[in-house]
Structure formats: structure tokens, C-alpha cells
Amino acid sequence: MSNNKLKNLLLDYFLPSYCFNCKLPTERGKVICDECYSQIEFTPEKSCIKCGLSDKNCRCKFSVFHFNFMAAPFFNDGVAKKGLYAVKFLNNSILTDFYAEHMVKCFAERTDERNFSLVTYVPSNLLKIYKRGYNQSYLLAEKVADMMSLPVKSTLKRRIFSHTQHKRSKMDERFENAYMSYKSINKVSGRVLLIDDIQTTGASLDACARELLKAGADEVYCLTALVGIKN
């Protein structure tokens, strides 16, 4: 038996891989089995490049966004939602590679732009970071930046007394709250790639994009793992 084969057998025995959804064994290094992967709902490639939604749900008719582009590989539902929430609430950091890889692939499929100065992320409030010990958007941004050979930089902060977005049900309330929630802390330049975990209404991304433009960015492109509205 070769050394590599023996090494692989030992790894399979002592560090087996399991599907995060059904918990059944998978091939070494895989976080999801083929059956569960087939259940994931991908967003269609033909979506509005501005807001990331289909013509039916496109928000560009009603809103003027500060960002230039938005894309996400998965809908916020089913298997994809379960996996990201394991990253978000259970500190399952091994899944960040899975989502980051699909985010980068989705991005490459939907835009030819590659000239970015840096990758940044939507900041979380201090209470959430204290409870979880991390910001999942930063974890995703770090992986995406590494895959795209770009620097990742903290350029925004969450205001101390800002309110959580999911407590706001109306669209205008979300945007108003978001605009009061974020502030730029560093100067930037060129085209910036902004990362978040989920786009629900786009309010947080838009507020952050506005701050990045104020801080010197020429354009802001947004990339998330999940998008909330099905096409």
C-alpha cells in the first residue's frame, strides 16, 4: 500500500466527513452529499445585475441603489439556508469555504469586472460579536478575498445604538434604520467588493455602499451567499 493511500485511509477513519444536512458520511473533504446538494435552490443566472433579482421582483423600478451590482448563488431557503445558519449561529466555520466558493463562482458568471481594490464586509453590532465570537460576513469576506487574490479590509462600523434589521418589517423602515446604522471608518478608493451573508431587502448593503462611496470608492459591487426573494 502506498503512503498516500494509507494516509487517506487514516484520515477517513479518524476524521470522517459528513453531510451537514442529512449527517450521512460523504467523500473526504465534502461538506454535503450529492443528494442534498441536488436539493439546493440556485438563483438563476439571468437576474438583474443591479439588484440581483428577476424582472418580476426587480427593485430597481422603485429604488435607486448606491451599489452597482448584486449577486448571490443561493436562495435563503431549504438546504442552503440550513447550512448558512450553521455558519451564522453555530460557528460551523468549515462551511464558509463551501459558500465562498459558490459566491466566487456566481460572481464570475454574472460579471466580467475583475479590477477591484479590496474586499470588505457588512459589520455586525458589538453585542452579536460578543455572543457569537465572530462576524460571519467577515469570515465569508476573508475566504472570498483569498480566492480572488484581493486584500480584505475593515472599512465600516456598526453604530453602537443601531437596531437589528430583522425587527423591521416594512421596507422603508429597514432602509431608514440601515442608513442610521453604518459609518465608514477608513478611506477607500477604486472599485470595492462588499460581502454579506444574506440579502433580504438590500437595505444594509445599500447603506454600506453609500458610506463606501462617501469614503472614496468609485463603485461598489455586492456579493452575498443567500438572497431572500425567490425569482
Side-chain angles (χ1 to χ4, degrees):
M1 181 182 297
S2 67
N3 289 336
N4 285 339
K5 190 172 182 179
L6 177 60
K7 180 181 178 181
N8 290 337
L9 285 173
L10 290 172
L11 285 172
D12 289 340
Y13 182 80
F14 290 106
L15 296 172
S17 297
Y18 295 94
C19 173
F20 72 80
N21 186 55
C22 68
K23 309 305 180 185
L24 293 176
T26 62
E27 297 177 25
R28 184 167 52 84
K30 292 183 65 173
V31 296
I32 185 170
C33 69
D34 293 340
E35 175 63 26
C36 291
Y37 186 78
S38 68
Q39 298 173 27
I40 291 179
E41 293 188 78
F42 285 79
T43 59
E45 188 171 340
K46 291 184 178 180
S47 299
C48 174
I49 61 170
K50 180 72 174 182
C51 68
L53 301 174
S54 67
D55 291 339
K56 178 182 177 181
N57 294 310
C58 179
R59 298 197 189 104
C60 299
K61 308 164 191 173
F62 313 106
S63 303
V64 178
F65 293 108
H66 291 86
F67 50 80
N68 298 77
F69 172 92
M70 164 63 209
F74 308 127
F75 286 119
N76 185 23
D77 195 20
V79 176
K81 178 179 179 178
K82 181 178 179 180
L84 189 68
Y85 276 53
V87 174
K88 190 170 183 175
F89 298 110
L90 302 176
N91 196 16
N92 192 335
S93 58
I94 194 172
L95 283 171
T96 57
D97 282 334
F98 172 80
Y99 286 98
E101 287 171 4
H102 282 83
M103 289 166 71
V104 171
K105 181 180 178 183
C106 173
F107 188 78
E109 290 173 346
R110 300 183 191 184
T111 179
D112 294 327
E113 296 295 346
R114 297 292 180 270
N115 185 25
F116 289 86
S117 58
L118 60 91
V119 174
T120 192
Y121 55 93
V122 175
S124 184
N125 65 44
L126 294 177
L127 181 59
K128 286 184 178 180
I129 293 176
Y130 175 77
K131 288 180 176 179
R132 299 175 189 170
Y134 59 93
N135 176 0
Q136 69 279 357
S137 295
Y138 168 72
L139 297 180
L140 290 168
E142 191 176 38
K143 294 291 185 181
V144 168
D146 183 59
M147 293 174 187
M148 297 179 68
S149 299
L150 290 169
V152 60
K153 184 177 180 181
S154 175
T155 61
L156 301 158
K157 76 172 184 178
R158 187 78 180 256
R159 296 181 189 272
I160 295 175
F161 298 109
S162 61
H163 298 285
T164 303
Q165 279 291 81
H166 70 260
K167 294 181 180 179
R168 300 289 184 273
S169 58
K170 295 182 179 179
M171 181 77 74
D172 57 345
E173 289 179 350
R174 280 179 171 262
F175 274 82
E176 183 180 356
N177 180 59
Y179 286 150
M180 296 187 295
S181 296
Y182 302 99
K183 181 180 181 180
S184 61
I185 56 174
N186 286 307
K187 291 291 183 181
V188 296
S189 61
R191 185 179 291 119
V192 175
L193 180 57
L194 176 64
I195 303 295
D196 202 5
D197 55 350
I198 305 170
Q199 186 217 156
T200 305
T201 62
S204 294
L205 291 171
D206 193 54
C208 288
R210 185 178 74 161
E211 290 299 311
L212 289 169
L213 292 173
K214 288 181 182 178
D218 294 331
E219 294 180 322
V220 179
Y221 279 52
C222 299
L223 184 60
T224 66
L226 308 181
V227 64
I229 295 180
K230 291 187 178 183
N231 291 269

